[in-house]
């Protein structure tokens, strides 16, 4: 499935090679979170899936709502559903939007087929800002 996916992503953007994709995709959720923070700070973007009714979310059945975010288009594309479109959000705009969210909203960062790093709105904002302070 990943081979087919990588061919679909070749739309003029720099395509991540399969070894890099597989390595990050199969790493621990903590490592993926750190990669998300570093990549997002460097690129100045956070990737989300835009859906007709807002952004793609995951609900765990316990009233938990998680907004899904990725560091790269390639990973975001992998998870998109038919009615969703990958969308890059400028990182400062992302921080402003996150600040306005309700406190019970959490983020599932860089999910793969097994898990994602779940983080509060406050923590993701703090960690992203720390990363930006290092590169700006």
């Amino acid at each position: 499935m990943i081979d087919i996916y990588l061919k679909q992503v070749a739309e003029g953007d720099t395509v991540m090679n399969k070894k890099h994709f597989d390595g990050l995709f199969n790493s621990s959720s903590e490592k993926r979170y750190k990669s998300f923070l570093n990549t997002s700070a460097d690129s100045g973007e956070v990737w989300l899936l835009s859906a007709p009714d807002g952004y793609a979310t995951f609900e765990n059945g316990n009233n938990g709502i998680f907004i899904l975010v990725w560091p790269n288009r390639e990973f975001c594309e992998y998870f998109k559903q038919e009615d969703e479109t990958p969308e890059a959000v400028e990182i400062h705009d992302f921080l402003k939007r996150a600040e306005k969210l309700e406190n019970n909203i959490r983020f599932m960062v860089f999910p793969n087929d097994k898990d994602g790093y779940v983080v509060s709105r406050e923590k993701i904002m703090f960690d992203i800002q720390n990363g930006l302070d290092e590169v700006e």
Side-chain angles (χ1 to χ4, degrees):
M1 180 170 173
I2 290 177
D3 290 334
I4 294 168
Y5 156 74
L6 288 173
K7 289 178 185 173
Q8 293 172 341
V9 174
E11 300 174 346
D13 290 334
T14 303
V15 177
M16 184 179 300
N17 71 47
K18 183 178 180 348
K19 184 177 179 181
H20 187 135
F21 183 95
D22 288 346
L24 277 173
F25 190 78
N26 294 313
S27 63
S28 70
S29 61
E30 291 83 8
K31 185 173 181 178
R32 292 193 319 271
Y33 183 65
K34 289 177 184 176
S35 175
F36 166 82
L37 294 172
N38 292 332
T39 302
S40 297
D42 288 343
S43 70
E45 297 176 331
V46 173
W47 285 86
L48 298 99
L49 287 171
S50 179
D53 58 345
Y55 288 109
T57 59
F58 173 78
E59 296 184 38
N60 70 356
N62 296 326
N63 296 327
I65 299 172
F66 307 97
I67 298 173
L68 307 173
V69 294
W70 292 270
N72 307 84
R73 179 183 185 102
E74 290 88 350
F75 295 105
C76 192
E77 282 276 348
Y78 181 81
F79 281 92
K80 81 174 188 160
Q81 302 295 311
E82 191 172 306
D83 62 342
E84 297 171 338
T85 306
E87 181 180 323
V89 176
E90 193 276 329
I91 199 159
H92 295 97
D93 188 34
F94 175 81
L95 290 172
K96 288 176 190 170
R97 292 181 192 186
E99 190 172 19
K100 295 177 184 177
L101 293 173
E102 296 176 21
N103 287 337
N104 66 333
I105 301 292
R106 298 168 121 202
F107 289 88
M108 183 175 285
V109 180
F110 203 161
N112 64 11
D113 290 332
K114 298 176 203 157
D115 61 7
Y117 193 88
V118 175
V119 62
S120 69
R121 158 183 88 84
E122 293 85 5
K123 177 152 178 58
I124 198 169
M125 290 171 54
F126 178 81
D127 290 346
I128 287 174
Q129 189 59 57
N130 280 344
L132 287 173
D133 290 345
E134 290 179 16
V135 298
E136 291 181 335

